[in-house]
Amino acid sequence: MELHDVWFVLIAVLWTGYFFLEGFDFGVGVLTKLLARDRTEKRVLINTIGPVWDGNEVWLLTAGGATFAAFPDWYATLFSGFYLPLLVILVCLIVRGVAFEYRAKRPEENWQRNWETAIFWTSLIPAFLWGVAFANIAHGVKIDQHFEYVGTLWDLFNPYALLGGVVTLALFTFHGTVFTALKTVGEIRERARKLATRVGLAAAASALLFLLWTQVDSGDAKSLVALVVAVAALVTALVANQAGREGWAFALSGVTIVAAVAMLFLTLFPNVMPSSLNPDWSLTVTNASSSPYTLKIMTWCAGIATPIVLLYQSWTYWVFRKRIGTQHIAEPAH
């Protein structure tokens, strides 16, 4: 296997890890409107992801940086062609981080309610737009012979891409709902389990349609295996949730996301960005990659740094592993 193939796989792993981890905290952000009944319950939800949400975003930074270094032409075409959607995602992530930190800085109800509304929308919008972006990457966009995107903004919002956005939003919300059930106690836990069933059914219906569309469009035997794993894991997650096995439900909803993202990358390879105008104009792992020397240096750096990051993040999750409920929320100190 050539180094550019290795880095394609590593970038796929980084994006998969990002969607697995950031997926549930996007889902929890959406639940601040769908599940929480009062300000105390919103604080419970926010506290479940408070120690980990910023660490989850490290996966995005690493995936973007790896794409820039390993496949600069892919990075250039992607970030120039998808400029506005990616800018909206970036702004949402910035506002979201500020909302988490500033929400409790003042006691006024309007102040806190406005930041909570910001958390909801800046969780929902990226969850949708990431699906739109990756659906377009897998399906193909208008790239010319100079490897430049020549389509318009509205070309990105085609039916296939919009369905992809609905799928990621539904899957992330389901992932966040079972995470909430896993991390909370009391009434909010029970309501999270009931809501997970409804959200999970919607996610299953939309995901099945999207993955079948993908398989018919550009799939092969490997992507079919990933499709079967994704659907089976999602159905089993629903069963586990009904049985009150929140840990299994969360793990299996994560397997669903992993398998679905893996399917997209399997249908993509050896392309990194297919051209819908002419297959010969597609960006591939060969024509979009950096020099072998650059990839070699990157491989050594990744081999040293990656285990350290994984150990630290695993330790963080272990430290903050206990369940919380409304009884654990202290009165405001203002």
Side-chain angles (χ1 to χ4, degrees):
M1 181 181 286
E2 299 289 339
L3 276 179
H4 51 65
D5 296 331
V6 172
W7 273 97
F8 178 86
V9 174
L10 290 176
I11 288 170
V13 170
L14 289 170
W15 281 112
T16 302
Y18 173 67
F19 289 138
F20 178 94
L21 296 172
E22 188 86 308
F24 72 75
D25 70 49
F26 279 150
V28 171
V30 173
L31 292 180
T32 57
K33 289 286 187 182
L34 300 184
L35 182 66
R37 291 179 174 174
D38 54 36
R39 182 135 295 125
T40 301
E41 290 190 351
K42 289 181 180 180
R43 289 177 64 189
V44 170
L45 292 176
I46 293 171
N47 285 355
T48 62
I49 59 173
V52 298
W53 68 267
D54 49 355
N56 294 343
E57 291 186 356
V58 171
W59 289 75
L60 171 62
L61 299 175
T62 308
T67 304
F68 171 77
F71 299 99
D73 288 342
W74 182 14
Y75 182 93
T77 303
L78 175 64
F79 279 78
S80 59
F82 293 27
Y83 177 78
L84 284 177
L86 292 177
L87 178 62
V88 170
I89 291 174
L90 177 61
V91 171
C92 284
L93 295 179
I94 293 171
V95 173
R96 189 168 180 263
V98 173
F100 282 133
E101 299 298 332
Y102 275 68
R103 176 191 164 278
K105 296 298 183 183
R106 291 173 58 178
E108 290 88 345
E109 183 176 347
N110 285 341
W111 172 272
Q112 295 189 3
R113 184 172 60 247
N114 289 338
W115 285 121
E116 289 163 359
T117 300
I119 291 172
F120 170 77
W121 285 110
T122 56
S123 298
L124 185 149
I125 293 172
F128 175 76
L129 288 180
W130 278 128
V132 171
F134 271 83
N136 276 297
I137 292 172
H139 194 59
V141 291
K142 294 179 179 179
I143 298 175
D144 65 10
Q145 65 270 32
H146 303 295
F147 303 131
E148 296 179 358
Y149 178 73
V150 293
T152 66
L153 172 64
W154 304 114
D155 289 331
L156 300 177
F157 292 94
N158 54 78
Y160 177 80
L162 291 173
L163 178 59
V166 170
V167 170
T168 52
L169 177 58
L171 282 179
F172 291 170
T173 304
F174 175 67
H175 198 39
T177 309
V178 294
F179 176 79
T180 299
L182 176 65
K183 288 288 293 179
T184 57
V185 295
E187 184 185 353
I188 193 170
R189 175 189 176 191
E190 297 302 319
R191 282 191 279 115
R193 284 173 51 194
K194 293 178 181 178
L195 180 61
T197 299
R198 298 195 296 271
V199 175
L201 290 173
S206 58
L208 180 60
L209 178 59
F210 176 76
L211 295 179
L212 285 174
W213 190 342
T214 304
Q215 179 65 27
V216 171
D217 183 58
S218 55
D220 56 16
K222 294 178 181 179
S223 62
L224 180 60
V225 172
L227 186 156
V228 173
V229 171
V231 173
L234 184 52
V235 172
T236 311
L238 284 166
V239 174
N241 176 69
Q242 282 291 97
R245 304 297 297 271
E246 292 98 345
W248 280 105
F250 176 71
L252 288 164
S253 69
V255 170
T256 302
I257 293 173
V258 169
V261 176
M263 181 182 177
L264 291 181
F265 277 96
L266 285 169
T267 60
L268 194 58
F269 186 82
N271 295 321
V272 294
M273 231 176 151
S275 172
S276 60
L277 299 178
N278 187 332
D280 294 335
W281 298 343
S282 298
L283 286 164
T284 68
V285 293
T286 304
N287 64 26
S289 69
S290 293
S291 67
Y293 182 74
T294 300
L295 296 177
K296 185 177 179 180
I297 296 298
M298 289 175 60
T299 303
W300 278 104
C301 294
I304 295 171
T306 301
I308 298 173
V309 174
L310 291 176
L311 285 172
Y312 174 77
Q313 193 163 20
S314 300
W315 176 78
T316 303
Y317 276 91
W318 175 256
V319 170
F320 295 101
R321 66 189 182 278
K322 292 184 179 180
R323 295 176 182 264
I324 63 172
T326 54
Q327 67 270 28
H328 300 115
I329 302 299
E331 291 297 323
H334 298 289

